[in-house]
Amino acid sequence: MRGFVLPGGCVNLLLSISAASADPSKLVLSFGGASFPSEPYLAATQGFNQYFKAAATYYTSNSGTGQNGVFLGRFEVGASDVPINTGLYGTNGTIVAIPAIAGGLVVSYNVPGRNKTKLKFSRKVGLGIHLD
C-alpha cells in the first residue's frame, strides 16, 4: 500500500481510499502529523466515519511525526507543513506528496509613530522575516 503525505483534498483522499475497499465500514485508517491542518482533517475524518461507519482517526502532532508515521507504516496518510525529507521517499515510490491545504501568513507590526503611514516590505525582507 502506498503512503500519502499531505503537505500543509483530505476528503477526496478519504473517499478514494474508501472506494478501493469493498466495505468501507471495515476500514480502520490512521492519519497523523501537522497541527496546522488538523481542524479540517479532524472534520473530514469525522464526516467520513459518520458517512461510511468507518474508523478513521487523525492524530495531531507535528510534521516530522506525519512523515515518519507514513514511512514506518503507522499512518496511511500523514500531514506535513514542511517539505518532505527526501530520505523518506525511498526508491520504490512508497510515499506520494499531495498538496492539500494552503494557508496565509500575516505580518503584524507595532512601530511607534507609524500608525498612519503604510509599512511596505520588499519580497526579500518578507522572506527574510519568515526564513531567518
Side-chain angles (χ1 to χ4, degrees):
M1 175 180 220
R2 280 185 183 225
F4 296 90
V5 173
L6 302 174
C10 189
V11 174
N12 289 336
L13 183 60
L14 287 171
L15 292 174
S16 298
I17 291 171
S18 69
S21 172
D23 186 359
S25 67
K26 295 186 180 184
L27 285 176
V28 177
L29 301 170
S30 295
F31 305 87
S35 59
F36 169 74
S38 66
E39 290 301 318
Y41 290 168
L42 289 167
T45 54
Q46 181 182 13
F48 177 82
N49 290 338
Q50 288 174 350
Y51 187 82
F52 288 107
K53 308 293 186 247
T57 307
Y58 184 80
Y59 300 95
T60 302
S61 184
N62 59 51
S63 295
T65 300
Q67 292 183 27
N68 287 321
V70 170
F71 186 71
L72 298 173
R74 294 184 186 128
F75 299 145
E76 282 76 33
V77 177
S80 177
D81 30 27
V82 297
I84 298 171
N85 176 343
T86 55
L88 296 180
Y89 277 111
T91 56
N92 60 359
T94 43
I95 294 182
V96 178
I98 303 170
I101 293 184
L105 296 173
V106 176
V107 177
S108 33
Y109 64 93
N110 181 9
V111 180
R114 299 283 312 210
N115 29 346
K116 293 187 180 180
T117 312
K118 290 183 181 179
L119 183 63
K120 292 185 178 183
F121 294 124
S122 67
R123 288 183 186 202
K124 186 176 180 180
V125 170
L127 285 173
I129 290 170
H130 294 288
L131 297 178
D132 285 340

